[in-house]
C-alpha cells in the first residue's frame, strides 16, 4: 500500500486536482465576462458563479487527478516486484478507492444539483439586469428551475418522480389492457400493433369469450379511448426513461473513477518497458496536439464571431449617423 500511495502520488494528485478546479473557474469567467461587464455586475458575483461551477465539477477533478497520480505511482514501482505483488496492489488500491467512489456518487446525486441551481440563479439575475434586489427591496422570485431542467433535481425529487412515473405507467398499462379486452380480436390486434403497445409494456390476452359490441363502440374504444391512453402511456414512459437516464448519469463519475484506476495503473506498470513507453508517449503527443488545435480553433471562432458582431454594430452606427 505504501508503494501506491507515495508522496509522489499525493503530490500529483493535489496539484492536478486544484489545477483542474482553477482552470474550470477561469474558463467560466472568460465565458461570461462580457455578460457581466455589459450588465455592470460586481466582480464578487462573477467570482461566486465561478466558485459554484468549480465546486460542481469536484468529481470530474477527482477522476482526472486520480488517473494521473495512479499512472505515476504504478510507473515508479520497484523493478523487482513480482506478478503476485502487482495483483495485490491492484486489489488494495481498488478497495481504497471504493469509499471515494461512494462519496462521489453521493455528491453527484444530491450535492452537485444544488451548486448548479445556485449558478442558474446567478445567471438569471445577471441576464435580467437585477443582480441583487428589486427596486422595492423585495427578494427576487426565481423561476422553478427544477421543474424545467432535469439535472437540477435533488435526490429526493428524483426518487419521487421515478416512483410516481413508475406507478403512473403501471396504471396506464392496466387501463390499456382493460380496453383491449373489450375489443374483438381483430380490432385489438390491429390497435396493439399500431399503437406499439408491446414496446410500451402492455400485456394483451385475448378475451375468454367472443366480444360482441356495436361497430360504433369498437371505433370509439379503439380510435379514441385506447389511443388517448396509449399516448399518455408513451409520454409517461419517455419521462420515466429520461429520469432513469439522469439517475444513471449521476453514477457515471463513480464508475469512471474505478475504471480509471484499473486502466491507468496497468498503463503505468506497462510504461516501464521502453517500447510501450514510446508508444504511450506518441499517443500522448497526438492527443495533446489535437486538444491544442481544437482550443485554438474554438478561440479563433470566438474572436471571429466577436469581430463580426462588432463590425455589424459599427456599420449600423454609420448608417444611423448618415440618416441622423
Amino acid at each position: 500500500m505504501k508503494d501506491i500511495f507515495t508522496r509522489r502520488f499525493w503530490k500529483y494528485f493535489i496539484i492536478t486536482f486544484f489545477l483542474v478546479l482553477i482552470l474550470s473557474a477561469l474558463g467560466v469567467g472568460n465565458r461570461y465576462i462580457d455578460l457581466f461587464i455589459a450588465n455592470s455586475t460586481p466582480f464578487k458575483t462573477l467570482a461566486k458563479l465561478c466558485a459554484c461551477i468549480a465546486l460542481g465539477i469536484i468529481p470530474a477533478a477527482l477522476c482526472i487527478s486520480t488517473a494521473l497520480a495512479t499512472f505515476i505511482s504504478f510507473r515508479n514501482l520497484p523493478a523487482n516486484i513480482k506478478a503476485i505483488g502487482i495483483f495485490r496492489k491492484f486489489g488494495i488500491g481498488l478497495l481504497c478507492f471504493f469509499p471515494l467512489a461512494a462519496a462521489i456518487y453521493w455528491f453527484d446525486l444530491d450535492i452537485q444539483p444544488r451548486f448548479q441551481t445556485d449558478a442558474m440563479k446567478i445567471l438569471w439575475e445577471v441576464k435580467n439586469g437585477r443582480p441583487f434586489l428589486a427596486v422595492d427591496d423585495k427578494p427576487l422570485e426565481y423561476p422553478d428551475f427544477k421543474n424545467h431542467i432535469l439535472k437540477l433535481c435533488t435526490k429526493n425529487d428524483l426518487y419521487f418522480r421515478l416512483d410516481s412515473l413508475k406507478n403512473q405507467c403501471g396504471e396506464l398499462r392496466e387501463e390499456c389492457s382493460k380496453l383491449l379486452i373489450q375489443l374483438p380480436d381483430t380490432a385489438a390486434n390491429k390497435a396493439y400493433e399500431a399503437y406499439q403497445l408491446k414496446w410500451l409494456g402492455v400485456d394483451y390476452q385475448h378475451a375468454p369469450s367472443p366480444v360482441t359490441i356495436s361497430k360504433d363502440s369498437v371505433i370509439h374504444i379503439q380510435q379514441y379511448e385506447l389511443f388517448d391512453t396509449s399516448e399518455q402511456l408513451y409520454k409517461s414512459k419517455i419521462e420515466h426513461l429520461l429520469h432513469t437516464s439522469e439517475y444513471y448519469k449521476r453514477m457515471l463519475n463513480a464508475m469512471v473513477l474505478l475504471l480509471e484506476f484499473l486502466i491507468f495503473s496497468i498503463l503505468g506498470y506497462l510504461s516501464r518497458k521502453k517500447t510501450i513507453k514510446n508508444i504511450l508517449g506518441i499517443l500522448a503527443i497526438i492527443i495533446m496536439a489535437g486538444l491544442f488545435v481544437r482550443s485554438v480553433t474554438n478561440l479563433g471562432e470566438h474572436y471571429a464571431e466577436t469581430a463580426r458582431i462588432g463590425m455589424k454594430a459599427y456599420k449600423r452606427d454609420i448608417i444611423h449617423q448618415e440618416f441622423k
Side-chain angles (χ1 to χ4, degrees), residues 169-181:
C169 289
E171 293 175 358
L172 291 171
R173 289 191 185 100
E174 291 180 1
E175 183 66 22
C176 287
S177 298
K178 291 178 182 179
L179 293 172
L180 285 170
I181 294 176

Side-chain angles (χ1 to χ4, degrees), residues 6 12 24 39 42 65-66 79 82 120 127 137 165 188 198 213 215 238 240 275 319:
T6 59
Y12 282 97
S24 64
N39 290 276
S65 56
T66 298
K82 297 182 179 179
M120 291 293 295
K127 288 182 178 180
D137 294 335
L165 289 169
K198 183 178 181 180
I213 59 175
K215 185 178 180 180
I238 293 298
H240 185 264
T275 304
I319 295 173

